[in-house]
Amino acid sequence: MTQLIEIACDESGSEGENLMEAAHCVFSHASVNLSVGEAEAIMSDLACRTKSNARELKSKVLLKRANQRHLIELLRPDGPLAGRANIYLADKSYFVVGKIVSLLIEEDAHARGLNITAHEREIANQLFDLGPRALGEVNWKRLLIGFNNLVRTKKRSDSMHVRFSDFVALLDDIRLRSHRAPVSEILALMWNAREHARQFEDPPESLLRQLEPIVPTMNWVATSWRLRLGDVPIAFIHDEHWALNPETTELLIDVAKARTIIGGVVMPAVDLRSITLVDSKSDPRVQVADILAATGRIVGENALQGDTSGPLVDSVKPFLDFHGLWSEKSPLGSLIPPEATAHLSRESVV
């Protein structure tokens, strides 16, 4: 029998379903294919180099300017993590735009017997890249914040609770402010699909948290490891996360078995056996993932501010997942080196 491979994971920048008014604009998820012994050696070496006596060396210590050289050393091309780690980045604002398309526009198209699944990303890219200029930054943020606050499962106090009627009024106001035809057309599609937003005013407890980035992230990360490792059974060992409840983990395991299409290429099914949550203090592999996730988030956030160069950025690039969640024109895309997709070919995955 093929041996089960355990992939240890952690995230950085998770603030629940509060995406538009969060402290961090990037969600980062890291995963590593290491044995416990290998991870212990890495963490012991880092603790020695940074002179840390803490029970668990946290990423904030390594990200201090004085210690970044140790992080860069860990990420060197011939280092212990080469080819054995993955960092997935998601632009939270773009994630919200994607949900506008999938939860409103795509749902309305489906109700009318149309299938626009293959065009969802294209629509999201167009809205995200042109929206701020077409509407102005203030109105653009009003739109995304209003949608975010309506759809989030955990509602705010009554004074801050966005109701369905509030969102419709907001959308009615903003759709008339667009100065670009492509954005006006997408806003018209949103307006025609507005009734589909009513379900989020008082969602049932069983409704999947649509705005939690970790769910679609883990779905893709499973596929990403399948592309690297081949057809082998895998299990995720993940730091404790409130959104990864039994219902969600069971859904993720089921979805992994399905074949999806990315960029016209059929992705293989993933033999994902389990998702186990642990306290990071008990597993050094998760501690390594924690360090990588935080490093990826910092690099991603700096990139969105225009900083896409430097020793730390160059060290992180080879570990970034090529299929992260950002718009077509995002600076995040410029971080992905051409060789990042070398393992992706029609022959290897179909």
Side-chain angles (χ1 to χ4, degrees), residues 105 123 125-135 140 143 174-175 177-190:
I105 296 175
I123 297 171
N125 286 337
Q126 197 166 48
L127 179 59
F128 187 86
D129 291 333
L130 300 179
R133 289 187 179 181
L135 299 172
W140 173 246
L143 175 64
I174 287 179
R175 71 190 178 99
R177 296 176 181 268
S178 172
H179 300 295
R180 294 201 172 193
V183 174
S184 298
E185 292 171 3
I186 296 174
L187 291 172
L189 293 176
M190 288 178 60

Side-chain angles (χ1 to χ4, degrees), residues 59-92:
S59 55
K60 62 181 180 181
V61 175
L62 279 165
L63 286 167
K64 291 181 178 179
R65 188 170 297 276
N67 289 330
Q68 283 191 18
R69 68 183 188 278
H70 306 310
L71 189 52
I72 292 171
E73 172 69 13
L74 174 66
L75 300 175
R76 68 185 190 276
D78 62 343
L81 295 179
R84 305 180 70 185
N86 182 69
I87 303 175
Y88 178 97
L89 301 181
D91 181 332
K92 291 183 179 180

